Amino acid sequence: MIRILLTCFVLLGFTMLTNCKSGDDPDPENPENPENPENPEVPNVPEGFMFGADLSYVNQILDHGGVYKDEGTEKNPYQIFSEHGTNLVRLRLWHNPSWTKEVYDPEGDQLYNDLYDVEEAIDQAKAQGMDVLLDFHYSDVWADPGTQRIPAAWEEITDLEVLKDSVYNYTFKVLSYLNDKGLMPEMVQIGNETNCGMMYTDAPDLFPELEVCDDNWANAGEVINRAIEAVNDVSEDTRIILHVADPAHIEWWFGEMTSSGGVSNFDIIGISYYPFWHDDVSINNLSAEIASFKNQFNKDIMIVETAYPWTTDGDDNYNNIFGGDDPISGYPYTNQGQYDLITEITQEVIDGGGIGVIYWEPAWISSNMNDLWGTGSSWENNAFFDFDGNANQAMDWPGHMYE
């Protein structure tokens, strides 16, 4: 693991602070960092800024042979992330993901990314001092801009009022269960990359009425509002996120959802920003976009998904999603390039007044884990671990000396 020369990091509060010095003490009359004259090497980030990691696959990887190390020593991955400054863990929740057992031969004996798997992950994250963002997909499988499949248990619903009650009851039941166990998430995300709405793909006739790309904002808004109501009925302290992929869609989507959709009682605009796919907004213009969104909607802004490769190689036969295209100029496919890109995105979010950045699946290393498309990982070249399972340079992005 590459470390900054003459600097060692320890976790303090929500940021990585230096705890060792070389040479003379800094001159308090002429500080290099005026915000902290006693220690000029403190990363200059806003109080409470969130350095997040989506660790949704970790439990499944551990159950199927995955090994995580830090400087050659095998460790609990939640501990590794916490010790390197991660202070927020994002976890996805599917309604009834029975397929996560069925992809194994013989069939597995437990579900993943269901309530009980999420419960275990939340417990692990909180034990390491990290907050939690729980991401309700409202689906049995992946929800993204192109696919929003209704849970199988709700396919027979033919009335919007019944659907709204089902969404409320499910959300309330999940969060009440976690709250009773002392595991209430600090943040809840209502839907995942809901660019064109929720629960409309290959659904009965009722559910295409939730496809906002067909101008069904009012119906979708009613469903979202019921989910928000459920969160608040369990805990008014839990912050609520609505999430759309690509900064280029934020002004349109949130403009329509807050007006035509009648949705206003949420706290954070969540954005997926993968520079390969979302190139309408360049990295060096990201801060201006974030500042504009914050001003227009009077909401906090957060990047809830981003990633970048550190190599074009793979560690298994599962084809990688990223790495086949030319790298972004200035950010080669190296450990340094990955580190530089994630820290630059974070700097842009800070400059724009955003409240955090979450890296998507930095622990999705290769293992004997199965998903719907392969065995291993299609993301191991984007992870924060090398192919021997050792934490790499990008793991230290929370301790970067931000300006």
Side-chain angles (χ1 to χ4, degrees):
M1 180 177 55
I2 300 176
R3 294 193 180 274
I4 297 175
L5 183 62
L6 301 179
T7 304
C8 63
F9 295 108
V10 296
L11 183 63
L12 177 59
F14 285 131
T15 57
M16 295 287 286
L17 309 183
T18 58
N19 195 42
C20 59
K21 298 180 286 184
S22 177
D24 296 334
D25 289 340
D27 180 0
E29 300 300 322
N30 186 28
E32 297 177 47
N33 181 350
E35 294 199 6
N36 193 331
E38 294 183 357
N39 190 344
E41 295 181 339
V42 173
N44 187 16
V45 296
E47 183 179 358
F49 191 86
M50 286 166 281
F51 295 93
D54 191 311
L55 303 184
S56 298
Y57 265 144
V58 163
N59 292 346
Q60 190 174 4
I61 291 169
L62 289 171
D63 286 349
H64 293 87
V67 175
Y68 298 92
K69 303 173 186 176
D70 195 5
E71 296 185 326
T73 299
E74 185 174 346
K75 277 188 178 181
N76 178 327
Y78 298 94
Q79 179 184 357
I80 294 173
F81 279 91
S82 177
E83 289 179 346
H84 286 262
T86 298
N87 54 33
L88 178 69
V89 172
R90 182 175 184 250
L91 301 165
R92 65 177 162 267
L93 176 66
W94 289 319
H95 191 271
N96 181 25
S98 58
W99 65 269
T100 60
K101 294 196 304 183
E102 296 163 358
V103 291
Y104 293 98
D105 186 16
E107 184 173 307
D109 57 6
Q110 73 175 80
L111 304 183
Y112 292 99
N113 300 123
D114 71 334
L115 174 57
Y116 304 108
D117 179 53
V118 162
E119 175 189 359
E120 179 183 347
I122 293 175
D123 188 41
Q124 291 268 8
K126 287 182 176 287
Q128 296 297 328
M130 296 181 287
D131 287 348
V132 171
L133 161 56
L134 182 59
D135 174 10
F136 283 80
H137 279 230
Y138 297 105
S139 179
D140 295 331
V141 70
W142 298 99
D144 58 41
T147 306
Q148 295 280 336
R149 290 192 171 88
I150 184 172
W154 297 350
E155 285 183 348
E156 301 304 316
I157 296 174
T158 58
D159 184 273
L160 184 62
E161 293 301 318
V162 175
L163 176 64
K164 287 160 55 179
D165 285 345
S166 298
V167 168
Y168 175 91
N169 292 333
Y170 166 63
T171 307
F172 183 86
K173 181 178 179 180
V174 165
L175 295 177
S176 295
Y177 174 86
L178 294 172
N179 193 41
D180 289 346
K181 290 180 173 290
L183 299 174
M184 186 68 188
E186 284 73 20
M187 299 179 181
V188 166
Q189 183 178 308
I190 304 299
N192 191 76
E193 294 186 328
T194 54
N195 290 41
C196 277
M198 298 168 60
M199 297 182 288
Y200 61 82
T201 305
D202 299 329
D205 290 342
L206 166 68
F207 295 93
E209 297 304 313
L210 303 180
E211 187 174 1
V212 300
C213 289
D214 286 342
D215 209 29
N216 295 312
W217 297 97
N219 289 338
E222 289 185 36
V223 173
I224 290 172
N225 275 331
R226 283 293 274 162
I228 291 172
E229 183 181 347
V231 178
N232 288 328
D233 284 349
V234 179
S235 169
E236 292 184 351
D237 295 329
T238 296
R239 307 198 74 200
I240 295 170
I241 299 178
L242 302 184
H243 172 209
V244 174
D246 193 343
H249 301 310
I250 298 302
E251 186 173 4
W252 159 75
W253 196 93
F254 283 91
E256 290 286 356
M257 188 57 74
T258 55
S259 56
S260 302
V263 177
S264 60
N265 192 21
F266 65 98
D267 305 290
I268 300 169
I269 291 174
I271 308 170
S272 291
Y273 180 60
Y274 295 100
F276 283 121
W277 295 334
H278 306 146
D279 56 1
D280 285 343
V281 175
S282 65
I283 295 172
N284 58 10
N285 285 331
L286 188 57
S287 59
E289 294 291 313
I290 288 172
S292 176
F293 302 148
K294 183 178 180 180
N295 180 65
Q296 181 176 355
F297 297 107
N298 195 28
K299 303 290 183 182
D300 283 329
I301 313 297
M302 188 174 186
I303 301 295
V304 298
E305 292 187 26
T306 192
Y308 195 72
W310 58 270
T311 181
T312 58
D313 293 335
D315 194 29
D316 51 38
N317 293 322
Y318 194 161
N319 290 335
N320 290 332
I321 295 173
F322 286 157
D325 298 325
D326 291 337
I328 296 171
S329 178
Y331 304 99
Y333 294 143
T334 62
N335 282 320
Q336 188 67 51
Q338 182 191 45
Y339 178 87
D340 288 345
L341 185 131
I342 185 61
T343 55
E344 182 58 31
I345 288 175
T346 303
Q347 184 70 66
E348 287 288 317
V349 173
I350 292 170
D351 292 347
I355 64 169
V357 175
I358 301 173
Y359 195 95
W360 194 79
E361 292 281 11
W364 188 7
I365 61 173
S366 187
S367 68
N368 295 319
M369 188 205 87
N370 289 350
D371 64 12
L372 287 169
W373 301 279
T375 298
S377 174
S378 60
W379 207 254
E380 76 271 33
N381 66 323
N382 297 285
F384 286 177
F385 297 86
D386 65 22
F387 293 163
D388 293 321
N390 278 298
N392 67 14
Q393 182 179 4
M395 185 68 75
D396 283 324
W397 67 289
H400 180 74
M401 303 305 297
Y402 296 99
E403 299 177 359

